[in-house]
Amino acid sequence: MSDNDAHSELQAVVESTPVDQRKPQSTSKGGKEDKGSTHSSVTVQQVTESVIPVDKNEEAIANAQDDWENDPDNPWNWPARKKWTMVSIVSLYTFTPPLASSMLAPGLSKIAEQYGITSTTTTALVLSIFLLSFAIGPLVLAALSEIYGRTWILHAGALFSIAFSFGCAYAPNTGALLAFRFLAGFSGSAPIAIGGGSVSDLFSAKDRASAMAIYSLGPLIGPAVGPVAGGFIAESIGEKYVFVIIGALGAVSMVIGVPFLRETYAPIIRQRRALADGDPEKAKVLRGPMGNMSRSQYILANLIRPPMLLFGSLICFLLSSYMAFLYGIYYLMFATFPQIFNETYGFDVGIGGLVYLGLGIGFLLATWVGAKWADQTYHYLIKRNGGVGKPEMRIPALIFGSFFVPVGLFWYGWSAQAKVHWIMPIIGTGIFGFGLMTAYLPIQLYLVDTFTYAASAVAAASVFRSLFGFAFPLFADQMFAAMGVGGGNSFLAGMAIVLGVPFPIWLYFNGEKMRARSKLAR
């Protein structure tokens, strides 16, 4: 299906403005035009097309604008300290659910023993079912955040996650445990669905990379750090306390988030201000991306739009596929580390949790080195292009990161199969982690910069990668039994080369032409 065909089908169902309501151009610091940036506010054109008939309400539209670009309530104009406080709180909310997704990994054998689970697939399902609902949640929660505001959805997601975590801790049987894990994944997906939008609410495209890198640490380093603590917790005080501690961490995030987190979504801020000023008519104009749609219609539109973008745009599909493939390998490692390191190197449950540190160190290095290099490269290419930013300027960082992925997989797989010193496979996972994080960030930024419905594009990628994260652990044992640890990882490395090397290089040189032909792109 072509981009134009997909757009035609999409428009038949969804007659709304872009989810993000980003401006194609805005004024950055120093009064210069930031042509590559985007913003969560309602433009005159968008309000005209989506909310008020042109022939009757031009004056209302003009009044609704209120010079928002220079308004102190505009999150882009907030002081730097306030912006970074918001990013830090959102990142804290984002850290706990991914931590919960993997923290029980080292204790899976103890959980299987407690509940009498004999199937390795069912045991892996206890870990990965969290990601199934993690994939579904963003489709609904992202839309709700644009109806009720980002802040309340973040708070509600954290509250329900606390409740479901304690449900997991005291589940009476396997069915109840799986049900609570599923529900915890759904509520825990709130910050994943909303966090990227919050970052773009606060920063222009030129200033967004560092904030996005910090925000992205949660979804990636959380699953790597979780098992380190989870192994010792399961061994020393019991596997149920893994869930108790997850709930306690969620409570800590709420203690910090509830009093200090402020709304960042521009249409909601403006709408609330209009209502506070006693101007309900203006508040109706400022409904943001909902336009004239009802709440149920808007949620349905958000459920339909991500799959349309995913399968209607070659760019979105291939970038999302590569990200999903890497995420699937990531969770496959979580499911297989305990068996590989316990059997090959004799690690117990507590010490076995430390093997995940290789991934975490790789992520930290990528955030420090990779993000800095990517930011410098992006600004250098903007300067060469006369100060105009393009999404393709994100791609060199993706190309750079994609080369580390197969190297790490080859290193990890064959060193583990050869049973060399345990540090060698851990170094391999660190190289893989570096490549994963270095590739993850530019893909996220490219999707945000490229698509008119940027939130839907990010949601599509998020759903796809979570589905892969759910599915990959379920066939890990069978694959490694048939191919061996070295052969299985070599197969994955070969797939990573096919998916991650040719297309980004091609996209760097041809992406602009593809975007020009697509009505789904900016």
Side-chain angles (χ1 to χ4, degrees):
M1 183 187 294
S2 68
D3 283 0
N4 291 347
D5 291 339
H7 178 72
S8 299
E9 292 185 27
L10 175 64
Q11 203 165 24
V13 182
V14 184
E15 291 294 337
S16 67
T17 57
V19 172
D20 303 344
Q21 293 296 307
R22 287 170 170 71
K23 296 180 182 180
Q25 295 182 358
S26 63
T27 304
S28 59
K29 294 178 182 179
K32 293 182 180 179
E33 208 172 20
D34 182 2
K35 297 182 181 180
S37 65
T38 56
H39 194 293
S40 294
S41 63
V42 184
T43 65
V44 174
Q45 181 183 0
Q46 290 164 343
V47 176
T48 302
E49 292 176 351
S50 303
V51 183
I52 306 177
V54 177
D55 57 343
K56 296 180 181 180
N57 295 285
E58 290 183 3
E59 184 178 353
I61 295 168
N63 291 337
Q65 282 301 107
D66 283 340
D67 194 23
W68 178 247
E69 197 167 285
N70 300 310
D71 196 304
D73 287 341
N74 184 339
W76 272 19
N77 299 325
W78 288 355
R81 182 177 179 180
K82 184 176 181 180
K83 288 184 181 184
W84 284 105
T85 300
M86 300 304 108
V87 170
S88 299
I89 294 173
V90 172
S91 299
L92 178 61
Y93 271 129
T94 308
F95 176 74
T96 305
L99 186 82
S101 71
S102 66
M103 198 169 179
L104 73 161
L108 281 175
S109 59
K110 285 182 171 290
I111 291 173
E113 183 180 342
Q114 177 185 344
Y115 289 99
I117 302 171
T118 56
S119 167
T120 56
T121 301
T122 304
T123 303
L125 187 62
V126 173
L127 174 72
S128 66
I129 196 171
F130 187 97
L131 293 170
L132 182 60
S133 56
F134 216 58
I136 301 168
L139 297 178
V140 177
L141 299 176
L144 291 177
S145 77
E146 289 161 352
I147 298 172
Y148 300 106
R150 310 216 194 269
T151 301
W152 285 110
I153 302 302
L154 286 169
H155 294 334
L159 181 62
F160 281 107
S161 292
I162 294 167
F164 295 138
S165 294
F166 281 100
C168 290
Y170 298 99
N173 52 53
T174 305
L177 175 62
L178 291 173
F180 280 122
R181 281 285 286 172
F182 181 87
L183 293 170
F186 187 91
S187 59
S189 69
I192 305 299
I194 296 168
S198 297
V199 171
S200 60
D201 291 343
L202 293 162
F203 295 93
S204 70
K206 287 184 177 180
D207 303 322
R208 191 178 297 151
S210 296
M212 190 68 83
I214 292 173
Y215 158 73
S216 298
L217 267 178
L220 289 172
I221 202 170
V225 171
V228 177
F232 289 109
I233 294 167
E235 187 177 47
S236 58
I237 58 177
E239 59 277 359
K240 81 173 183 179
Y241 287 98
V242 171
F243 301 111
V244 171
I245 289 173
I246 290 169
L249 288 173
V252 170
S253 67
M254 288 201 73
V255 167
I256 298 171
V258 170
F260 296 109
L261 186 64
R262 298 291 178 264
E263 183 58 55
T264 62
Y265 188 52
I268 294 294
I269 294 173
R270 301 179 69 193
Q271 188 181 60
R272 289 175 181 173
R273 189 170 68 175
L275 290 172
D277 292 341
D279 194 345
E281 292 301 317
K282 184 175 177 180
K284 288 182 182 179
V285 174
L286 297 171
R287 292 188 75 200
M290 282 183 62
N292 291 322
M293 301 170 73
S294 68
R295 290 172 181 172
S296 59
Q297 287 173 328
Y298 184 66
I299 292 172
L300 178 62
N302 277 269
L303 287 170
I304 294 172
R305 192 183 296 119
M308 292 297 296
L309 278 166
L310 184 63
F311 297 109
S313 168
L314 181 64
I315 292 176
C316 186
F317 179 77
L318 288 177
L319 288 178
S320 299
S321 296
Y322 182 53
M323 183 192 295
F325 181 73
L326 298 184
Y327 208 67
I329 297 172
Y330 185 35
Y331 273 87
L332 183 147
M333 287 181 173
F334 288 137
T336 57
F337 273 9
Q339 182 179 353
I340 290 172
F341 284 95
N342 290 355
E343 293 182 1
T344 304
Y345 297 101
F347 289 1
D348 59 25
V349 173
I351 297 297
L354 295 176
V355 303
Y356 298 86
L357 282 176
L359 288 165
I361 292 170
F363 293 148
L364 288 174
L365 286 174
T367 305
W368 177 45
V369 178
K372 184 178 180 180
W373 180 82
D375 206 28
Q376 290 174 344
T377 302
Y378 182 69
H379 283 89
Y380 170 74
L381 292 173
I382 287 178
K383 187 176 180 181
R384 280 185 54 186
N385 198 42
V388 179
K390 296 179 181 179
E392 287 69 36
M393 294 173 183
R394 309 284 189 188
I395 297 300
L398 171 58
I399 297 170
F400 174 71
S402 66
F403 284 105
F404 286 89
V405 171
V407 172
L409 290 171
F410 281 124
W411 188 313
Y412 162 63
W414 287 108
S415 61
Q417 180 151 320
K419 300 182 180 180
V420 297
H421 191 275
W422 55 264
I423 195 63
M424 296 302 288
I426 292 177
I427 290 173
T429 64
I431 296 171
F432 169 78
F434 181 88
L436 170 58
M437 182 65 177
T438 307
Y440 180 93
L441 181 60
I443 290 175
Q444 289 279 87
L445 291 170
Y446 188 93
L447 293 175
V448 169
D449 291 350
T450 295
F451 290 97
T452 305
Y453 296 92
S456 293
V458 173
S462 176
V463 169
F464 212 29
R465 73 172 186 261
S466 293
L467 288 175
F468 273 52
F470 162 72
F472 270 46
L474 302 182
F475 63 76
D477 277 350
Q478 293 87 333
M479 182 181 72
F480 288 139
M483 304 175 69
V485 178
N489 278 283
S490 294
F491 171 74
L492 296 173
M495 291 293 295
I497 292 171
V498 171
L499 289 173
V501 176
F503 179 69
I505 295 173
W506 183 87
L507 184 62
Y508 179 73
F509 293 102
N510 297 280
E512 187 171 4
K513 296 177 185 176
M514 292 187 69
R515 288 189 292 108
R517 291 195 299 266
S518 173
K519 292 182 179 179
L520 295 173
R522 298 184 191 282

